[in-house]
Amino acid sequence: MIPSYANFGGKIHGGILLSLMDKVAYAAASKHAGTYCVTVSVDGVNFMKPVEVGELVSLLASVNYVGRTSLLVGIKVTAEDVRTGTVKHTNTCYFTMVAKNDEGQPTAVPGLRLETTEDTRRFLEAIKRREFKEQYNREFDNARTRLTIERQLHLLENERCEIGY
């Protein structure tokens, strides 16, 4: 990582890392699909440890799950201090990609061959991840629909905010 990628605190911008992860997710998804792929969503982006200027960043990608036209790509990011050889896991996240044909329409992707128990675990975990995401979205949509300011004002009592209207 070079100095121009750093923020004012001397750490690498999260946006730089997200851009790299998006490129790696594209490469993994397109290689599996045999066609152009686009990013639909990114889940689980938590920067656990900062990446420093001068560290060597590695991005490890795997296609963990495939649907009819979609692929879930897991990406593990590590950073190595090349002077000491110390490697740290900085984050893991999941990109949902969709394969597109030449007309820009979603197109079917090949199935995924699960060659190890780790591959099988990742596939099953992806199914659970999708179920939890769908459940969360349903529950949040229901809560948002029922939300009224008057009935929820009590939630602001211990928060660091001030109503100015």
Side-chain angles (χ1 to χ4, degrees), residues 130-147 152:
R130 186 183 65 205
E131 288 173 3
F132 286 142
K133 185 176 179 179
E134 288 170 357
Q135 179 183 350
Y136 170 81
N137 287 339
R138 274 193 313 275
E139 289 180 20
F140 187 76
D141 284 346
N142 288 337
R144 186 175 52 206
T145 301
R146 293 188 311 268
L147 184 103
Q152 303 299 319

Side-chain angles (χ1 to χ4, degrees), residues 113-123:
R113 181 168 174 78
L114 306 176
E115 297 182 345
T116 67
T117 56
E118 182 68 10
D119 292 344
T120 304
R121 183 194 63 76
R122 287 180 177 158
F123 197 92

Side-chain angles (χ1 to χ4, degrees), residues 6 40 44-46 88 135:
V40 174
V45 180
N46 298 305
K88 60 186 173 185
Q135 179 183 350

Side-chain angles (χ1 to χ4, degrees), residues 36 43 49 61 73-74 78 91 105 118 123 129 140 150 162 164:
Y36 178 69
D43 296 327
K49 295 181 181 171
V73 179
T78 60
N91 72 304
Q105 299 301 313
E118 182 68 10
F123 197 92
R129 183 178 301 285
F140 187 76
E150 296 78 26
E162 172 182 316

Side-chain angles (χ1 to χ4, degrees), residues 58-113:
S58 296
L59 296 96
L60 307 169
S62 64
V63 175
N64 293 347
Y65 175 85
V66 295
R68 194 180 68 73
T69 62
S70 64
L71 308 93
L72 182 76
V73 179
I75 300 176
K76 179 180 180 180
V77 181
T78 60
E80 179 181 356
D81 182 328
V82 294
R83 294 167 294 155
T84 65
T86 304
V87 176
K88 60 186 173 185
H89 177 197
T90 65
N91 72 304
T92 297
C93 64
Y94 302 90
F95 281 70
T96 300
M97 311 293 287
V98 169
K100 299 284 188 156
N101 63 19
D102 292 340
E103 290 75 44
Q105 299 301 313
T107 189
V109 299
L112 189 59
R113 181 168 174 78

